[in-house]
Amino acid sequence: MTGSSNVARLLLPALRWSSETGFAHCRDEVERGLRLGVGGFILFGGEAGAVRALTEELHRRAPHPLLIASDLERGAGQQFRGATPLPPAAAIGWLDEPETAERAGELTAREARALGVNWIYAPVADVDLEPENPIIGTRAFGTDPERVAEQVAAWVRGCARGGALSCAKHFPGHGRTVGDSHIERPCVYVSRGELEEDLRPFRAATDAGVDSMMTAHVCYTALDPDGNPATLSTRILDGVLRRELGFGGLVVTDAIIMDGLVEDMTEAQAAVRAVAAGCDLLLYPDDAE
């Protein structure tokens, strides 16, 4: 395998369904990704039959096994027409029945695998600690760190039973921000002791055998006084995630096109720094080439 192919395997480009053209307008991105030898793709939307046809083609034509991912926090029906939509995590968490969260994870995984998707970007392990947070809200299982941790661990176990890879997000916690990392780089200024509440669900996910973690494009001054966002912070990814939590699975960035990451650097610079900091995979490059 060439060096460029090795580098390409770090990348997970996006393929978005269009109600007018289906996945046809993604053909150039598909061909480019397969030619480069990317590690996989993230899918947004689509009718079940078209999704299955696309993933079968991708798996068949790729020179190596692919990670086909999707944001399925509310079940496979969140993205794919014909699959089962589930309530948001807050509704499941309100029931305070971990077995229900476990069943949700299993159902999501089984339906995802039936469509050729093998990596689910869920569960959300953030705790909804900030009422003014514009991005988490009902995506979290709740406001109590202990109960959220129980729900997250249960969802991870269910996902494993359903046969798909799980991904706890957004490490080390996006629940305290008052900014949206899609459009800015939020910072969290609470103490290291207070951040233990945010970390509890990620510890529980690790103990439950979660396959991967997604990083937050958020800075935490108590964890990295230099102000690096978690995605670019060796202190956070190596020091906290790897060494303190003992997590040994994959670390994937949140989308690298987000302004929370690239507000003061190019996508290429951010990608290099993310890998250097400890990220294994780079999600949603704007330009895979």
Side-chain angles (χ1 to χ4, degrees):
M1 183 178 292
T2 65
S4 60
S5 295
N6 278 315
V7 173
R9 290 189 72 170
L10 301 175
L11 302 175
L12 298 158
L15 302 176
R16 285 188 176 273
W17 169 267
S18 164
S19 58
E20 289 80 25
T21 63
F23 288 113
H25 68 287
C26 299
R27 182 48 53 183
D28 287 347
E29 190 67 44
V30 168
E31 297 301 329
R32 184 182 304 112
L34 293 174
R35 173 175 54 81
L36 289 172
V38 297
F41 296 88
I42 178 173
L43 305 186
F44 292 95
E47 296 175 348
V51 172
R52 190 179 298 109
L54 174 64
T55 58
E56 286 176 354
E57 177 192 356
L58 295 174
H59 286 300
R60 182 181 70 253
R61 294 181 57 199
H64 48 252
L66 291 179
L67 291 166
I68 307 294
S70 192
D71 286 316
L72 305 181
E73 300 167 16
R74 301 192 306 276
Q78 176 181 343
Q79 296 286 347
F80 307 127
R81 197 177 311 160
T84 305
L86 297 179
I92 295 174
W94 180 85
L95 296 173
D96 197 20
E97 298 170 354
E99 61 272 18
T100 301
E102 189 167 338
R103 178 61 178 144
E106 180 180 6
L107 175 62
T108 302
R110 290 190 184 280
E111 293 197 350
R113 288 300 304 274
L115 296 176
V117 174
N118 52 23
W119 193 11
I120 299 172
Y121 291 149
V124 170
D126 306 309
V127 185
D128 188 22
L129 295 167
E130 171 52 64
E132 299 300 317
N133 190 306
I135 190 64
I136 301 302
T138 59
R139 297 171 67 193
F141 281 106
T143 60
D144 179 80
E146 183 174 355
R147 290 175 63 181
V148 170
E150 291 176 355
Q151 302 282 331
V152 165
W155 199 101
V156 166
R157 291 192 297 270
C159 186
R161 191 164 59 245
L165 300 173
S166 56
C167 182
K169 60 186 186 182
H170 309 77
F171 186 83
H174 209 318
R176 292 185 189 270
T177 68
V178 292
D180 179 354
S181 57
H182 291 85
I183 57 176
E184 62 179 305
R185 182 178 299 165
C187 283
V188 173
Y189 299 103
V190 301
S191 69
R192 179 66 174 82
E194 289 174 286
L195 285 174
E196 281 302 312
E197 294 184 335
D198 307 63
L199 289 170
R200 184 176 294 186
F202 294 97
R203 292 183 189 276
T206 299
D207 292 342
V210 72
D211 299 291
S212 60
M213 296 273 192
M214 181 180 290
T215 63
H217 302 328
V218 178
C219 60
Y220 307 82
T221 55
L223 300 178
D224 188 336
D226 292 334
N228 294 306
T231 304
L232 306 181
S233 174
T234 303
R235 285 189 175 100
I236 294 174
L237 298 185
D238 183 61
V240 180
L241 181 57
R242 295 295 194 192
R243 298 178 184 274
E244 183 180 326
L245 269 65
F247 176 69
L250 284 172
V251 177
V252 61
T253 68
D254 206 343
I256 62 174
I257 61 168
M258 291 165 58
D259 289 342
L261 185 64
V262 295
E263 67 175 13
D264 56 357
M265 66 190 78
T266 67
E267 186 179 288
Q269 290 170 331
V272 171
R273 286 188 56 188
V275 173
C279 293
D280 300 306
L281 291 163
L282 303 164
L283 176 63
Y284 203 159
D286 183 54
D287 182 359
E289 197 82 47

